[in-house]
Amino acid sequence: MMSFVWNKGFSKVVATLLTALLAVTLGLSEANAQADTESEKGSLVIIGGANKSDNAELYNRMIELAGGKQNAIIGIFPTASASMSSSKEMKKDFEDYGVPADQVRIIEITESNYEQKVNDEGVVSEISECTAFFFVGGDQARITKAFYNRDGSNTKALDAVWEVYQNGGMVAGTSAGAAIMSKTMIQNATSLEALQLGVTYDEQKPGLWVTKGLGFFDGGIVDQHFSKRGRIGRLVVALVQEKVDYGFGIDENSAMVVTGPEIQVIGESGMFLIDASKASLSKKGVYQDLDVSYLEKGDIYNYVTKKFTLEPSKTLIPKGKEYYEGNQLNTNIFGLDAAKLALLDDLADNTADQARGLSFTMEQKKDKGTGVSVVFSKTKATNGYYDADEYATSILHVNMEITPIEVQVKEVNGGKK
């Protein structure tokens, strides 16, 4: 009969073996998660709207992912638009960047003809010949209305797009064409309206309309025109109330390029990442524990491993040696680029630990109003980064809190007693 003596040496061996086994298990889990994402072999180019024809980086990347200038066959869907003009402009742009004219095709599924087109075998065949697709901007509801049958099932046209994508094709879209990329799609409502009225599932009712997108991107909810239109508040509402952990807000003339589990930011501006996995909404309407990051050109985020890889030329902003000292209250935090500037100028490159902002509306002919207070705060995990020109362009892990407020205006009586 064998017996074991439990001593420190044996304990150490067992602990080492358990540690190794745990490491292998965790490694396999991460690998499996990444493999699941990579099983969809295609790529996505999700553009925040207002893309400019001279954005060579953007067009060249789309053409590369579509198979290259000689092999790409790009199908343009005008579905979201009320006219063909934007589709014709996109066709010309792709041709100007070197794709032969007969390989850039407008697939005319429109608001007026989609019922005849989306299950037509000829249209399906036309879609199947493509290596890539581009959804133009307009109204995203037109896209989902067209590409889903009335019972919510996929049309033959949508199935054909999915087949091309899963076989390595590219799906791109701008503005409305970006909004349809995620499983949960949002539209209508400003940030303040969304925070005050909440979510609605009926487009005829006030509030933030939430419905079903086409679902090519499974990493979270996508929103667009993000910094210019101050949409951070409405994305927070959608995430928390729909119980989705991650939100991606892409700026104008910029794109999040999704290949496998990695998202790379390219273009003129950047991308907000909102981690709502630990967020809460109190009975008093306070949104807490939101983790916000902002990435710009060249930065990469892996939405499976949750790891950031910053563009190689970027450098950490030394704590205590930031350029700015202190900041001011922003009274229009959902205004043009306000949230972006709050993160970069008022926090990343600033000695201040908080950046505060307000958004409110006043009652007609009264001196009272309602709104929200937004507070961005540095945490132990917060890091800001300079680009090669020493401008703050990226910041990771900022805490965000949104609180309802009441506003009252009082006139100063010219100093009279």
Side-chain angles (χ1 to χ4, degrees), residues 47 92 106 128 148 162-163 171 227 229 236 244 247 267 269 293 331 344 354 358 366 372-373 381 394 410:
I47 307 164
K92 183 179 184 302
I106 297 176
S128 299
Y148 284 120
W162 267 100
E163 185 174 359
V171 180
S227 289
R229 300 187 187 180
V236 165
V244 177
S269 190
S293 297
T331 55
L344 297 180
Q354 287 188 337
L358 305 176
K366 292 185 179 180
V372 294
S373 166
S394 305
K410 291 184 178 181

Side-chain angles (χ1 to χ4, degrees), residues 184 201 221 236-246 276-277 279:
T184 301
Y201 303 100
I221 299 176
V236 165
V237 171
L239 292 171
V240 175
Q241 297 204 20
E242 293 301 296
K243 296 180 171 57
V244 177
D245 285 346
Y246 295 92
S277 60

Side-chain angles (χ1 to χ4, degrees), residues 53 120 142 170 181 273 284 352 362 404:
S53 298
D120 180 83
R142 290 176 181 152
M170 178 198 74
M181 292 289 184
L273 167 62
K284 293 183 178 180
M362 303 300 294

Side-chain angles (χ1 to χ4, degrees), residues 79-134:
T79 320
S81 179
S83 72
M84 299 297 291
S85 59
S86 55
S87 295
K88 291 177 180 178
E89 289 170 7
M90 283 303 304
K91 176 175 168 57
K92 183 179 184 302
D93 285 346
F94 281 121
E95 291 170 7
D96 288 346
Y97 280 95
V99 182
D102 64 341
Q103 292 173 211
V104 186
R105 306 166 182 178
I106 297 176
I107 302 173
E108 294 189 29
I109 298 175
T110 68
E111 187 178 27
S112 62
N113 71 14
Y114 74 87
E115 291 182 329
Q116 292 76 44
K117 295 276 189 176
V118 289
N119 289 302
D120 180 83
E121 293 299 338
V123 174
V124 170
S125 177
E126 188 179 3
I127 291 171
S128 299
E129 291 176 359
C130 295
T131 64
F133 306 100
F134 190 95

Side-chain angles (χ1 to χ4, degrees), residues 101-414:
D102 64 341
Q103 292 173 211
V104 186
R105 306 166 182 178
I106 297 176
I107 302 173
E108 294 189 29
I109 298 175
T110 68
E111 187 178 27
S112 62
N113 71 14
Y114 74 87
E115 291 182 329
Q116 292 76 44
K117 295 276 189 176
V118 289
N119 289 302
D120 180 83
E121 293 299 338
V123 174
V124 170
S125 177
E126 188 179 3
I127 291 171
S128 299
E129 291 176 359
C130 295
T131 64
F133 306 100
F134 190 95
F135 288 87
V136 303
D139 182 350
Q140 54 261 47
R142 290 176 181 152
I143 299 175
T144 54
K145 186 178 181 181
F147 280 83
Y148 284 120
N149 292 313
R150 290 187 180 182
D151 63 1
S153 62
N154 288 7
T155 60
K156 291 180 180 179
L158 181 55
D159 280 339
V161 173
W162 267 100
E163 185 174 359
V164 171
Y165 170 59
Q166 290 177 323
N167 286 327
M170 178 198 74
V171 180
T174 186
S175 189
I180 54 96
M181 292 289 184
S182 49
K183 294 178 180 179
T184 301
M185 185 179 83
I186 60 177
Q187 69 173 52
N188 299 340
T190 64
S191 283
L192 186 56
E193 288 169 343
L195 286 161
Q196 293 186 321
L197 299 174
V199 163
T200 180
Y201 303 100
D202 183 347
E203 61 179 312
Q204 304 302 323
K205 294 182 179 179
L208 179 63
W209 184 28
V210 173
T211 186
K212 179 182 176 183
L214 298 189
F216 295 105
F217 177 64
D218 63 358
I221 299 176
V222 171
D223 203 356
Q224 18 70 44
H225 295 286
F226 206 71
S227 289
K228 297 297 182 188
R229 300 187 187 180
R231 288 180 164 172
I232 191 169
R234 80 174 197 172
L235 184 53
V236 165
V237 171
L239 292 171
V240 175
Q241 297 204 20
E242 293 301 296
K243 296 180 171 57
V244 177
D245 285 346
Y246 295 92
F248 301 82
I250 188 70
D251 287 345
E252 292 183 352
N253 201 29
S254 307
M256 45 187 288
V257 179
V258 185
T259 51
E262 288 190 341
I263 300 168
Q264 184 178 35
V265 182
I266 66 171
E268 180 182 340
S269 190
M271 179 190 82
F272 280 79
L273 167 62
I274 302 176
D275 178 352
S277 60
K278 297 179 182 178
S280 64
L281 174 60
S282 75
K283 292 180 180 179
K284 293 183 178 180
V286 180
Y287 289 84
Q288 293 178 303
D289 297 320
L290 295 149
D291 184 277
V292 179
S293 297
Y294 181 78
L295 305 176
E296 281 199 351
K297 181 184 293 191
D299 295 337
I300 294 173
Y301 175 71
N302 187 310
Y303 71 92
V304 174
T305 64
K306 315 304 180 191
K307 293 180 180 177
F308 295 90
T309 304
L310 297 187
E311 197 278 327
S313 69
K314 293 188 178 181
T315 55
L316 185 68
I317 299 175
K319 296 186 188 300
K321 294 185 178 180
E322 298 89 347
Y323 183 79
Y324 298 104
E325 294 184 5
N327 53 55
Q328 296 181 337
L329 176 71
N330 187 313
T331 55
N332 187 20
I333 194 61
F334 298 138
L336 179 70
D337 287 335
K340 173 182 172 181
L341 293 174
L343 290 179
L344 297 180
D345 290 353
D346 292 348
L347 277 184
D349 201 14
N350 201 305
T351 57
D353 291 326
Q354 287 188 337
R356 294 175 171 269
L358 305 176
S359 179
F360 56 89
T361 182
M362 303 300 294
E363 294 179 30
Q364 222 172 16
K365 297 181 181 179
K366 292 185 179 180
D367 58 3
K368 293 183 179 180
T370 57
V372 294
S373 166
V374 179
V375 180
F376 296 107
S377 303
K378 289 179 180 176
T379 69
K380 291 181 180 178
T382 302
N383 282 313
Y385 296 86
Y386 287 132
D387 63 12
D389 297 320
E390 293 196 353
Y391 285 99
T393 59
S394 305
I395 187 168
L396 309 182
H397 302 305
V398 173
N399 180 265
M400 180 182 185
E401 182 173 302
I402 304 175
T403 306
I405 60 170
E406 292 182 352
V407 178
Q408 185 170 5
V409 176
K410 291 184 178 181
E411 292 184 4
V412 177
N413 193 18

